[in-house]
Amino acid sequence: MNSRLVIVTGASGAVGNSFIQHFLQENNTDCVAVSRSPMKTAAYHYCQADLLDRESIAEEIEKLDFSNVDDVILIHGVGKFKYESECEIASLGTTEAEVDDEIFSSNYQTFVNMAEPLTSKLNQQHQQGNKTTLALCGFGSITDKYKIPFWRSYTYAKDSLRKYIKELAKSEEWRGLIRGRFINVSTTDTGNENKLRPYATEEEKKYWLKPETVVERSIASLESLTPFWQEIDVYEPLPGFK
């Protein structure tokens, strides 16, 4: 039987934990839970780490045993969000140097810090004759497509992440052994949304995604070895919203 290793960052959060709970029920699958905050988990390996600390993340990934693993899946739902005022927007450009560094780093650099040692370890496996595959999955917002200026830094970071994953997945170097996934979600009931959207009505909240729904609607794409790159939307349509 094929064996699979699933690495979930932000595992203590609502969405990350939902992915952990799903994969714990899957056969021939081991889970690695990565979290900045302490947590209890049934995952076979738990790592408490700051994802902005590149060296410590590389050390943790080096400890993982890929020798009998056919497929590795990285599910990365980490990243801060920020509303930006008109004054802030007026001073922002379209380059990384001109966007909010904290927002960019938490959404983009944290992913790169996970992906780089994973691809390096994957390359080692390939040199030994193994054909281990790797899925790199990032998350964004459906609103990113509309370039809404009030969260411009967030959108810039997510667009940069999309490009990074897509280029890896379609590169000749990896010859299809890396596949990229990007899941765009509508408002998700993670607990933090009530703080980010204090003026949302109870009627609107009825249409917020449940973390379990995000898992249910994205799992087929994550598990499939084709295509090399796929971006999907997961949302609950709000009646009357345009």
Side-chain angles (χ1 to χ4, degrees):
M1 296 295 289
N2 294 338
S3 61
R4 178 171 56 187
L5 181 67
V6 180
I7 304 170
V8 181
T9 62
S12 61
V15 174
N17 185 59
S18 291
F19 274 105
I20 290 286
Q21 295 307 313
H22 170 83
F23 282 108
L24 284 175
Q25 309 305 314
E26 295 283 295
N27 294 327
N28 306 302
T29 301
D30 285 328
C31 293
V32 177
V34 182
S35 173
R36 184 177 59 181
S37 304
M39 63 174 292
K40 293 182 179 180
T41 177
Y44 102 99
H45 183 74
Y46 164 63
C47 170
Q48 183 180 353
D50 178 359
L51 294 181
L52 289 174
D53 188 340
R54 176 182 293 185
E55 291 185 1
S56 66
I57 290 300
E59 290 174 0
E60 291 296 330
I61 290 177
E62 187 58 33
K63 296 176 185 177
L64 300 177
D65 184 6
F66 282 13
S67 58
N68 295 311
V69 175
D70 295 296
D71 189 36
V72 179
I73 300 176
L74 170 63
I75 299 173
H76 185 85
V78 173
K80 293 182 179 179
F81 177 85
K82 177 185 178 182
Y83 286 108
E84 293 166 319
S85 70
E86 293 182 27
C87 180
E88 290 172 322
I89 292 166
S91 66
L92 291 173
T94 57
T95 66
E96 180 180 342
E98 296 171 309
V99 301
D100 187 292
D101 182 64
E102 182 181 22
I103 300 302
F104 183 83
S105 296
S106 69
N107 285 283
Y108 178 82
Q109 195 60 50
T110 55
F111 189 97
V112 173
N113 288 350
M114 291 292 299
E116 285 185 344
L118 279 174
T119 54
S120 177
K121 197 172 182 71
L122 193 69
N123 187 50
Q124 295 172 16
Q125 291 297 307
H126 295 167
Q127 291 177 354
Q128 296 170 12
N130 299 327
K131 293 298 181 182
T132 307
T133 53
L134 171 65
L136 297 174
C137 177
F139 287 81
S141 168
I142 286 177
T143 59
D144 292 335
K145 297 179 178 181
Y146 303 99
K147 313 302 181 189
I148 295 174
F150 295 101
W151 43 91
R152 183 172 178 172
S153 295
Y154 177 85
T155 296
Y156 180 85
K158 293 301 185 183
D159 282 345
S160 299
L161 184 55
R162 287 181 177 92
K163 181 180 179 182
Y164 175 83
I165 298 173
K166 187 175 183 179
E167 288 180 350
L168 271 176
K170 291 196 169 187
S171 69
E172 288 294 326
E173 176 186 1
W174 292 106
R175 299 180 183 86
L177 292 173
I178 291 181
R179 62 192 188 277
R181 300 291 182 264
F182 210 90
I183 314 299
N184 301 309
V185 299
S186 59
T187 302
T188 306
D189 190 3
T190 62
N192 289 327
E193 287 302 320
N194 287 302
K195 298 177 182 178
L196 290 171
R197 301 184 61 186
Y199 302 110
T201 67
E202 291 303 315
E203 182 62 24
E204 289 173 337
K205 292 179 181 179
K206 293 179 182 178
Y207 297 92
W208 288 6
L209 284 171
K210 297 299 181 185
E212 299 81 8
T213 305
V214 176
V215 176
E216 291 168 2
R217 297 188 188 177
S218 62
I219 204 67
S221 174
L222 284 171
E223 294 182 329
S224 175
L225 297 180
T226 57
F228 296 159
W229 164 257
Q230 186 176 34
E231 188 167 357
I232 67 171
D233 295 340
V234 179
Y235 63 94
E236 293 289 354
L238 178 64
F241 181 81
K242 297 182 180 179

